[in-house]
Amino acid sequence: MTEQPGKPDPEDPNGPGGAQGEEPETEDFGFLAGGHSEDSSVSFEFGGVEHDPEVGKRAFDASIPALNAALLDYAHALEERQGRISDALRRPELAPELFAASRGVHVALAELLEAHQVYTGEGLPEVPADRSLPDEATAPEEWAALLAANESTEDADDTHWPRPTELGATVVLDRVIHQTPAEFVRLDTAQVFGNGVLLMVDYVNMRGAREDGLIWFRRSNEQHGNVEISLRLGNAATGAPQRCAPHRADGNVGPHCYTLNHQFWIHPAPEAEVLTGTLTVHDAIAADGRAEPLEVRFRLETSVLREAISRIRTFGPREPGT
């Protein structure tokens, strides 16, 4: 029997269809490789496959706990440095275990991105840019409707922050209510509005006498960002609480001190002749390692605040004095 060109002989043991022939090539859909327990990684090799939802989903699902485990390993490596991180991150030879854990995070993240590509056929989408929309209505009718809507809600909201139709009158207090070589607290200014008072408080944490530049950099940059101040106020005569709430806070690190400027909104304008207050500073670690909350009590006469009401400048739709 003659063989026809192009058709393999099924009886030929050396042919592609025989017992000794090569197996037909199949697509490589990837395989699962179990990672070492130390780096907690699970990897897929896709062999050039660009899109396969079934294989990609399995890989993507496996890459999520692998990335989580790698992040936990890295967090543990950071914790073992016990705050000695800055130099280690700049010099790999000082902390090889830290960089090994970091490398595990990069590998796990790369595997997650590759699995996403195979799963969806697309790369991980980036956060879309904000649409460029006009901030204000352009048509006069639209502008009038927007203004009316704002004015209808203004009265309901104007006890929670300064009125937008007033320039408050500033009263300089400049009272240091707590001072040690390590820190001090000052009542800075009070800005009086028709519907409340904006009280500004300064907290300053001093650099220790024995802290060199590196120690101070670590303490001020790694710890002072957590400092918070809370305020409680009450009527000194009756004991009734005076409502107040945090309004804004700004921190600044300098070569000799850390300064936190905190604003509290007291609403409505205080009726008490004298207010008693307690300022509490939280999470401020001193140079000696002290981390207990600092409580400072003070008294504030409100007559100077009431006198400043006559200096408030009112504009807009409100009538002066209302």
Side-chain angles (χ1 to χ4, degrees), residues 149-164 195 265 267 318:
N150 289 339
E151 290 177 348
S152 67
T153 59
E154 187 174 288
D155 289 338
D157 294 336
D158 68 0
T159 59
H160 299 281
W161 46 73
R163 285 174 180 164
N195 63 324
W265 177 246
H267 55 111
R318 291 181 178 273

Side-chain angles (χ1 to χ4, degrees), residues 184-224:
F184 68 84
V185 181
R186 179 181 68 169
L187 302 182
D188 188 4
T189 62
Q191 196 169 10
V192 181
F193 293 84
N195 63 324
V197 176
L198 198 59
L199 177 66
M200 273 68 82
V201 177
D202 295 332
Y203 169 76
V204 179
N205 190 302
M206 308 299 293
R207 174 177 170 179
R210 298 185 179 181
E211 284 187 299
D212 61 20
L214 180 57
I215 296 175
W216 168 246
F217 176 85
R218 288 173 174 168
R219 183 165 74 91
S220 59
N221 285 274
E222 296 175 5
Q223 298 171 346
H224 283 159

Side-chain angles (χ1 to χ4, degrees), residues 72-82 97-99 101-102:
L72 290 175
D73 288 344
Y74 182 67
H76 182 67
L78 284 175
E79 186 178 356
E80 287 188 339
R81 299 300 301 172
Q82 296 181 350
E97 74 288 349
L98 190 64
F99 279 80
S102 174

Side-chain angles (χ1 to χ4, degrees), residues 195 220 229 251 276 299:
N195 63 324
S220 59
I229 303 178
T276 57
R299 292 170 63 89

Side-chain angles (χ1 to χ4, degrees), residues 27-100:
E27 286 187 275
D28 183 1
F29 289 106
F31 62 90
L32 177 66
H36 192 277
S37 60
E38 183 174 310
D39 55 28
S40 302
S41 64
V42 177
S43 62
F44 275 74
E45 296 181 9
F46 297 104
V49 177
E50 293 185 357
H51 179 42
D52 187 299
E54 183 179 348
V55 173
K57 185 177 188 313
R58 292 202 307 269
F60 187 74
D61 290 344
S63 65
I64 294 174
L67 178 59
N68 183 57
L71 288 170
L72 290 175
D73 288 344
Y74 182 67
H76 182 67
L78 284 175
E79 186 178 356
E80 287 188 339
R81 299 300 301 172
Q82 296 181 350
R84 296 172 289 111
I85 298 174
S86 300
D87 289 342
L89 293 178
R90 290 193 294 264
R91 300 175 60 187
E93 67 274 10
L94 295 180
E97 74 288 349
L98 190 64
F99 279 80

